[in-house]
Amino acid sequence: MGKTVLVAGASRGIGLEFAVQYAADGWNVIAGCRNPEQARSWLPPSVDLQALDVTDSDSIDALLWHLNDKPLDLLIINAGVSGPDALGFVAPEVQAFDQVMHTNVLGPMSLVQAFGSAVAVEQGVIAVLSSRVGSVELADAANMLTYRCSKAALNMVVKTAACEFGPKGAIVVALHPGWVRTDMGGPNAHLGVTEAVEDLREVIGGLSAGSNGCFFDYTGRSVPW
Ligand SMILES: NC(=O)c1ccc[n+]([C@@H]2O[C@H](COP(=O)([O-])OP(=O)(O)OC[C@H]3O[C@@H](n4cnc5c(N)ncnc54)[C@H](OP(=O)(O)O)[C@@H]3O)[C@@H](O)[C@H]2O)c1
């Protein structure tokens, strides 16, 4: 039958590359994208392309219905937005705050609630794309305030999901992908998307029960919370 992965946010960048690489390895790939018709040309025909807006509970419910309790070996929660940037400490407008928090925090919460049991039943992995800038311990600048706060909150989603679904058999982790050349990372980033995802897949492939509730970077090193 092969293994099954659901990638939430697979139209571009890191999420698209996860879908492409797992499909090339023979996995059954379900790719959740806001605009599936746009993503079709980038993804192999074997990929089950489904509409998914992580900020829309009806959209998550529709995907849940489509999957019909299908067990998942891997759930990759990748969808994310960076929101407004500023060099110093600048509070965001409400609309910008809501968009970042709904995408980066409420979306992952809803996805874990919807699909966590399908992963646990398969003793699978929930891999959540966080960022080292969400680390409270490593915080060293006031830029990207909203994004930083969203990833710090996302890290708590990971820890609490690990408490809920770890004892049921899942491994839940936060991953920092490095600084990657995508629309979000920009052209000056250190890592190409292909190598970043190859590294992340190696980290995911090496996880064990003891990894539940941990935060790793793309080299497999622990990141402090
Ligand atoms: N690139 C980096 O250097 C870096 C560093 C640290 C962490 N990360 C994290 O890694 C993840 C992927 O980043 P990336 O660099 O690949 O970003 P990206 O190139 O900007 O791509 C973001 C992806 O998220 C999707 N997305 C956004 N909002 C969504 C929503 N409401 N519903 C469904 N999908 C949605 C986008 O879909 P659309 O095409 O529909 O917009 C796109 O597929 C993010 O969580 C990011 O925070 C990236």
Side-chain angles (χ1 to χ4, degrees):
M1 252 310 269
K3 293 190 169 192
T4 300
V5 55
L6 167 59
V7 185
S11 61
R12 295 182 280 127
I14 293 169
L16 172 65
E17 185 63 23
F18 268 122
V20 167
Q21 289 193 19
Y22 278 112
D25 261 6
W27 285 53
N28 305 307
V29 177
I30 304 144
C33 302
R34 273 195 288 202
N35 296 299
E37 60 288 349
Q38 276 177 20
R40 182 74 278 173
S41 55
W42 304 110
L43 286 163
S46 64
V47 170
D48 178 8
L49 196 44
Q50 293 295 319
L52 176 66
D53 181 338
V54 303
T55 64
D56 178 355
S57 59
D58 289 343
S59 170
I60 293 174
D61 287 348
L63 182 57
L64 192 58
W65 183 85
H66 171 75
L67 293 186
N68 192 23
D69 293 331
K70 185 183 183 67
L72 297 173
D73 299 279
L74 177 58
L75 167 62
I76 298 176
I77 301 181
N78 172 78
V81 291
S82 51
D85 194 7
L87 288 180
F89 191 103
V90 180
E93 299 291 333
V94 169
Q95 200 181 349
F97 178 84
D98 286 350
Q99 193 219 358
V100 175
M101 288 296 177
H102 281 243
T103 308
N104 295 3
V105 186
L106 181 57
M109 281 180 183
S110 307
L111 289 167
V112 168
Q113 179 177 286
F115 300 108
S117 298
V119 175
V121 79
E122 204 65 3
Q123 314 266 285
V125 171
I126 301 175
V128 182
L129 271 291
S130 181
S131 171
R132 84 188 287 286
V133 304
S135 165
V136 172
E137 191 171 328
L138 296 179
D140 57 1
N143 66 331
M144 298 188 286
L145 176 61
T146 313
Y147 181 69
R148 283 179 187 278
C149 291
S150 75
K151 292 298 188 182
L154 175 62
N155 287 348
M156 184 57 86
V157 175
V158 170
K159 287 299 264 188
T160 50
C163 294
E164 174 80 9
F165 291 101
K168 296 175 181 169
I171 300 166
V172 188
V173 292
L175 296 176
H176 167 60
W179 187 19
V180 188
R181 287 189 296 277
T182 60
D183 292 338
M184 184 185 291
N188 297 323
H190 298 144
L191 293 169
V193 72
T194 305
E195 61 175 317
V197 170
E198 283 170 356
D199 289 348
L200 290 167
R201 289 179 59 220
E202 204 170 314
V203 174
I204 292 169
L207 297 174
S208 62
S211 314
N212 186 47
C214 291
F215 188 3
F216 299 109
D217 73 8
Y218 61 101
T219 69
R221 272 190 305 248
S222 283
V223 183
W225 295 104

